[in-house]
Amino acid sequence: MLKNYFKTAFRSLTKNKMHSLLNITGLSAGMAVTLLIGLWINDELSFDKYHRNYNSIAQVLQNQTFSGETSTQPTIPMPLGEELRTTYGREFKKVVMSSGTGKHILASENNHFVKNGNYMQADAPSLFSLKMISGSGNGLKDPHTILLSHTVATAIFGDKDPINRLIKFDNTESLKVTGVYEDLPANTTLHDLQFIVPWELQGKAVADNIQNWNNNNWKIYVQMADGVDVDKASAKIKDSKYLKSDNAEKNFKPVIFLHPMRKWHLYAEFKSGVNVGGRIQYVWLFGAIGLFVLLLACINFMNLATAKSEKRAKEVGIRKAIGSRRGQLIYQFFSESLLMAFMAFALSLLLVVLLLPGFNEIAAANMNLPLKSPLFWAAGLGFTLVAGLIAGSYPAFYLSSFQPVKVLKGTYKAGRLATVPRKVLVVLQFTVSIAIIISTIVVFRQVQFAKDRPVGYHRDGLITVETLTSNIHTQFGAFQDDLIKTGAVSGVALSTTPVTESWNSQSNFDWEGRDKNGTQNFATVGISKEYGKTIGWQFTAGRDYRSETGGADGFCFVINESAAKMMGFKNPIGQIVHWYGYNFHIIGVIKDMVMNSPFTPVQPAVFFMNPGQMNVLNIKMKPGAAVNGALKKVAQVYAQYNPGQPFEYKFADDEYARKFNMEERVGKLAGFFAVLAIFISCLGIFGMASFIAEQRVKEIGVRKVLGASVFRLWQLLSKDFVLLVVISLLIASPLAFYLMHKWLQNYEYRAEISWWIFAAAGAGAILITILTVSFQAIKAAMANPVKSLRSE
């Protein structure tokens, strides 16, 4: 019997080729979207699960309150690590101190590489369960060793065994390779950890800060002891000495807590010291979009099947008349929908294979179809079965309910109300599609709004180089002159941070009239005298630096507008600020420079002449110079003064553009899904229009004979669909406004939701609908009425 169901279903599909093609295409598109989103969600949810101790690892974070505003920081004072290890030893199996990931030079023979790595304590490899390919992870106990990732070991040593070979670290220390570990996958927080060196290798930095509770510049990772709850341990460490300190520097009221690894990726956003989620909102968002797009495809099936109801009514009547029970008819119609669903699933797999490379690029992921996984096939086939049952449920129960007597007498008519469910489903389709379109436009508007924000300096032709252990500092004047002589460079300067980032902040400033009850936090940037001219910052008051050392400018500040506002000076120029026991005069106020997120207010910043070593080199290319030729000239001069380090540069434009990656990615994904949603909806409308034109073919013939024009007939057949889209727009607009207004609240610097967005989305949907319907409407209107009326 089952074989007969599927044989009959296959005949029905081949008999109605256009109907079948529309259904299978729509279903396969919906399934492909759902599969892509499913792969992406699985990638997001499996983030960091590479580590065996995933459920017991946490990072120590702290909340700091400045001027009534609380921010969450991942950096911690160094003594806290030892205190957690000794005072709270029962709570933790391991406590590991780490530096932030930074670039360092690894050299072997005449080969020099710049790679990302961390200083970490000896328990790090076992804490993060690094998979050792060769050697041992225990080597970090020796302060003159190094662990390499497999890719880095291969790049440096090729096919040779790297174990026990020497590497020159930052052109100073010779370190022995004691282990090579498997590259961490892309969906791990530490995926760019290319090497690890012992904590003690920092030497003076460790010695100077081992008892310094005021330098928040380190990271702490812990592994919970067996049976210890993260939340309870987090509550206990709030009694730390760090929090009880009477030191004046603790005016910012620190609160330390544990952030478990399972939340690092999806729950990484904090607002006012409270975890408000993060990427998890996009997991929910795209999960909902995937289900809705699949629902759209199922709606198409339902609509097209019920639209054919009058054509299949006689088939149902005859089957019932010769003894078919309703249950058998339901099975028959379900077999048709399941056959189409499995054909659509096969086509969707092909679509996913074709779309996955582009989807990976948009999502910045490295996903693959797990075709060898039994779980994938079980989930895929189960998902197809459910989709087929959902798609076939309404037509199966609806068509099987026809009464054979009425059908065979020819008295069966669907009636006006029979079209209501189909219209409701079309409205639902376009409501979802229009809402996605509106959301996509709002996301791109928000990105563009932030991109158009004044940044306070000139990014064009500005490159930065992290000079690391460079000799450039001691010969900076000569280096600068040689670069200018190339004719490719207009300015050169040193700084402690790149223009697109803020690495340091301090709160130990004092000035006349400062609120003694609160603590203000300022970004601090050490610079050379040429910095302002090189990056093109813009003064609103005062002047730039004139000399680098000595004289009046030796102890002077240039501050930004936000710092001037926080200090409360009506006229900041000439005012005195106390810092580390010295008096600094404010000589200039510049427009706010966007150094951190372009979606948040600019942090108050202080720029000062730094007498120490600055590790960032800023080079301004001469306007109009050919980029490739200019970079070659700069690289040649750089190699003369800094032969031990490869010339690796970053364009300030590119670094600033990366700040929009997440929002642009969301916009592109939403746009991709919006296009597919509209495509699926249009397939449904196209099919509906063809059946309506077929049902009304005799009416159209009579109207043509009576003198109706092609335009009038086109209008007659199109207006109902346009009305449905207008209703969808009226429903989708407030829904999309509510959701996107809520999303925009995540950004302090945000665009307004303009009325034209809804008008544009509505106009676009109506235009697409008219174009889709017009093909069938005009074809029916231009048909010869003689053919349609011949049988009357």
Side-chain angles (χ1 to χ4, degrees):
M1 195 67 177
L2 190 62
K3 180 181 177 182
N4 182 62
Y5 284 146
F6 281 101
K7 185 184 289 186
T8 306
F10 184 75
R11 287 174 181 168
S12 177
L13 296 185
T14 54
K15 181 182 177 182
N16 302 285
K17 293 183 178 64
M18 177 59 73
H19 169 268
S20 303
L21 180 63
L22 290 172
N23 260 327
I24 292 172
T25 303
L27 269 177
S28 63
M31 287 180 172
V33 170
T34 308
L35 281 172
L36 287 171
I37 291 177
L39 289 173
W40 180 78
I41 289 176
N42 179 66
D43 189 65
E44 292 290 299
L45 294 180
S46 62
F47 220 87
D48 284 324
K49 287 188 177 179
Y50 173 87
H51 303 287
R52 270 200 317 272
N53 305 319
Y54 169 80
N55 289 314
S56 59
I57 295 175
Q59 183 179 359
V60 182
L61 305 183
Q62 68 169 315
N63 288 327
Q64 296 178 347
T65 302
F66 296 98
S67 302
E69 294 185 7
T70 302
S71 63
T72 302
Q73 307 293 334
T75 48
I76 297 293
M78 191 182 292
L80 184 61
E82 187 59 30
E83 187 191 352
L84 294 181
R85 194 177 288 111
T86 55
T87 307
Y88 303 96
R90 292 183 179 179
E91 313 300 321
F92 307 117
K93 186 178 290 186
K94 292 183 179 71
V95 176
V96 172
M97 297 290 299
S98 171
S99 65
T101 301
K103 290 183 178 296
H104 295 268
I105 302 170
L106 305 181
S108 175
E109 298 177 349
N110 294 322
N111 297 319
H112 294 78
F113 303 86
V114 177
K115 300 296 180 183
N116 290 314
N118 288 29
Y119 295 95
M120 286 186 168
Q121 290 183 323
D123 282 338
S126 59
L127 174 74
F128 292 112
S129 54
L130 299 182
K131 296 177 182 177
M132 304 306 297
I133 296 174
S134 59
S136 168
N138 296 323
L140 292 181
K141 293 175 182 177
D142 181 342
H144 296 286
T145 59
I146 186 171
L147 302 182
L148 302 176
S149 70
H150 176 65
T151 298
V152 172
T154 303
I156 296 175
F157 299 107
D159 296 332
K160 299 175 182 176
D161 183 7
I163 302 302
N164 293 326
R165 290 183 178 271
L166 295 179
I167 280 181
K168 200 80 167 177
F169 182 71
D170 282 345
N171 295 327
T172 54
E173 298 278 352
S174 290
L175 306 180
K176 183 170 66 175
V177 179
T178 57
V180 176
Y181 57 88
E182 180 180 277
D183 289 355
L184 292 167
N187 65 340
T188 56
T189 303
L190 300 174
H191 68 274
D192 60 347
L193 186 67
Q194 297 173 308
F195 69 85
I196 305 174
V197 289
W199 179 253
E200 293 74 17
L201 191 63
Q202 296 174 96
K204 190 173 185 300
V206 173
D208 290 348
N209 289 281
I210 194 69
Q211 296 298 328
N212 185 357
W213 289 94
N214 297 325
N215 187 351
N216 294 275
N217 203 31
W218 321 98
K219 293 186 177 182
I220 302 178
Y221 301 102
V222 298
Q223 181 182 351
M224 310 306 299
D226 295 338
V228 174
D229 179 72
V230 172
D231 294 331
K232 290 180 180 178
S234 188
K236 283 186 179 180
I237 65 175
K238 287 183 179 179
D239 291 328
S240 162
K241 294 177 187 174
Y242 177 47
L243 307 181
K244 293 181 177 180
S245 171
D246 294 328
N247 193 313
E249 293 301 319
K250 296 299 175 288
N251 286 337
F252 55 78
K253 303 174 183 176
V255 176
I256 59 174
F257 62 97
L258 299 176
H259 191 50
M261 179 178 269
R262 64 178 180 272
K263 292 186 175 182
W264 287 4
H265 182 65
L266 295 177
Y267 298 88
E269 290 186 13
F270 291 83
K271 195 170 185 178
S272 299
V274 178
N275 191 293
V276 293
R279 290 176 68 97
I280 188 64
Q281 64 182 327
Y282 297 117
V283 170
W284 286 110
L285 172 65
F286 289 120
I289 288 175
L291 291 176
F292 276 125
V293 171
L294 181 61
L295 179 62
L296 299 186
C298 293
I299 287 172
N300 276 356
F301 186 98
M302 297 176 187
N303 270 344
L304 294 176
T306 53
K308 285 183 61 185
S309 58
E310 289 193 40
K311 278 199 153 193
R312 301 201 67 177
K314 289 184 180 178
E315 176 193 339
V316 172
I318 291 171
R319 285 177 177 273
K320 282 193 170 183
I322 60 176
S324 288
R325 294 187 298 275
R326 187 183 181 191
Q328 291 175 317
L329 291 171
I330 289 173
Y331 289 142
Q332 174 62 54
F333 290 121
F334 269 129
S335 66
E336 288 183 21
S337 66
L338 287 173
L339 180 60
M340 274 197 282
F342 281 102
M343 291 173 71
F345 178 65
L347 181 57
S348 71
L349 289 177
L350 178 61
L351 286 174
V352 169
V353 170
L354 295 174
L355 293 172
L356 196 54
F359 187 75
N360 273 331
E361 187 175 343
I362 294 173
N366 186 27
M367 298 173 288
N368 294 294
L369 264 178
L371 297 176
K372 295 182 179 179
S373 168
L375 182 62
F376 168 76
W377 286 107
L381 295 176
F383 153 75
T384 306
L385 182 65
V386 172
L389 292 175
I390 292 173
S393 58
Y394 180 49
F397 291 109
Y398 176 68
L399 294 175
S400 65
S401 66
F402 294 164
Q403 296 181 16
V405 176
K406 290 184 178 181
V407 170
L408 296 177
K409 276 186 176 182
T411 58
Y412 167 79
K413 294 291 178 185
R416 289 184 304 170
L417 294 178
T419 63
V420 172
R422 295 203 295 272
K423 290 179 178 179
V424 169
L425 293 175
V426 169
V427 168
L428 178 59
Q429 271 189 318
F430 272 89
T431 298
V432 173
S433 300
I434 292 171
I436 296 175
I437 290 172
I438 292 171
S439 302
T440 303
I441 296 173
V442 171
V443 170
F444 278 115
R445 278 259 301 163
Q446 170 65 4
V447 172
Q448 193 58 48
F449 180 75
K451 281 186 175 181
D452 292 339
R453 182 181 184 181
V455 295
Y457 62 96
H458 300 301
R459 300 191 306 270
D460 297 341
L462 183 64
I463 65 171
T464 58
V465 181
E466 292 183 29
T467 57
L468 307 175
T469 58
S470 166
N471 298 319
I472 286 175
H473 303 89
T474 56
Q475 306 174 61
F476 181 68
F479 171 72
Q480 182 184 42
D481 290 341
D482 285 348
L483 277 181
I484 299 295
K485 287 176 184 176
T486 64
V489 172
S490 62
V492 187
L494 293 170
S495 61
T496 54
T497 65
V499 291
T500 55
E501 296 180 57
S502 173
W503 290 347
N504 303 304
S505 62
Q506 295 194 35
S507 58
N508 55 336
F509 295 92
D510 196 13
W511 59 89
E512 187 177 348
R514 183 178 73 86
D515 180 8
K516 303 296 183 181
N517 295 322
T519 302
Q520 291 80 23
N521 196 32
F522 294 83
T524 53
V525 184
I527 60 174
S528 65
K529 64 179 180 180
E530 307 85 1
Y531 183 79
K533 180 183 175 183
T534 301
I535 70 166
W537 62 14
Q538 302 155 31
F539 280 85
T540 59
R543 61 174 177 85
D544 203 343
Y545 289 105
R546 287 196 290 254
S547 61
E548 188 164 0
T549 58
D553 286 1
F555 291 94
C556 292
F557 283 154
V558 170
I559 63 175
N560 65 0
E561 292 173 308
S562 293
K565 184 178 179 181
M566 177 174 282
M567 291 177 177
F569 295 132
K570 291 183 179 179
N571 181 15
I573 305 303
Q575 298 289 345
I576 297 175
V577 177
H578 308 286
W579 191 37
Y580 285 114
Y582 295 96
N583 293 333
F584 288 79
H585 291 78
I586 298 175
I587 61 170
V589 179
I590 60 167
K591 288 185 178 180
D592 284 338
M593 287 173 54
V594 180
M595 302 177 72
N596 295 312
S597 171
F599 300 104
T600 60
V602 172
Q603 183 181 8
V606 171
F607 299 84
F608 62 97
M609 304 293 283
N610 186 33
Q613 180 169 313
M614 292 175 278
N615 289 332
V616 177
L617 179 64
N618 306 276
I619 302 173
K620 182 74 170 181
M621 297 298 189
K622 187 170 285 187
V627 175
N628 289 336
L631 287 173
K632 286 180 181 178
K633 292 177 181 178
V634 172
Q636 289 171 358
V637 176
Y638 186 83
Q640 293 173 15
Y641 286 87
N642 198 26
Q645 179 185 336
F647 178 61
E648 292 198 355
Y649 58 88
K650 296 176 182 177
F651 279 97
D653 256 344
D654 293 339
E655 293 304 297
Y656 188 74
R658 286 192 180 93
K659 297 177 183 292
F660 302 94
N661 279 355
M662 185 62 200
E663 285 70 22
E664 286 186 328
R665 195 171 297 130
V666 170
K668 287 177 181 178
L669 288 173
F672 174 76
F673 298 135
V675 169
L676 285 175
I678 283 290
F679 170 72
I680 293 169
S681 299
C682 287
L683 282 179
I685 279 199
F686 183 84
M688 287 282 291
S690 66
F691 284 115
I692 288 175
E694 192 176 337
Q695 286 177 334
R696 301 179 71 174
V697 66
K698 288 185 171 60
E699 176 192 345
I700 292 169
V702 172
R703 286 180 180 273
K704 285 199 74 173
V705 170
L706 294 176
S709 65
V710 172
F711 175 76
R712 178 68 185 130
L713 292 171
W714 168 82
Q715 189 181 43
L716 178 73
L717 293 172
S718 303
K719 67 178 183 181
D720 286 346
F721 290 105
V722 173
L723 179 62
L724 294 178
V725 174
V726 170
I727 293 171
S728 300
L729 176 63
L730 295 176
I731 298 172
S733 294
L735 177 64
F737 177 85
Y738 170 76
L739 293 174
M740 296 316 295
H741 176 75
K742 192 173 181 181
W743 177 74
L744 284 172
Q745 300 313 301
N746 294 321
Y747 303 96
E748 295 180 68
Y749 189 82
R750 54 182 176 264
E752 297 295 327
I753 303 179
S754 303
W755 63 269
W756 66 261
I757 296 174
F758 304 95
I766 291 171
L767 179 62
I768 291 171
T769 302
I770 290 173
L771 292 174
T772 304
V773 174
S774 291
F775 176 80
Q776 292 294 344
I778 294 174
K779 179 183 174 184
M782 295 184 70
N784 189 346
V786 174
K787 291 183 179 180
S788 59
L789 297 175
R790 184 179 294 164
S791 61
E792 290 299 314

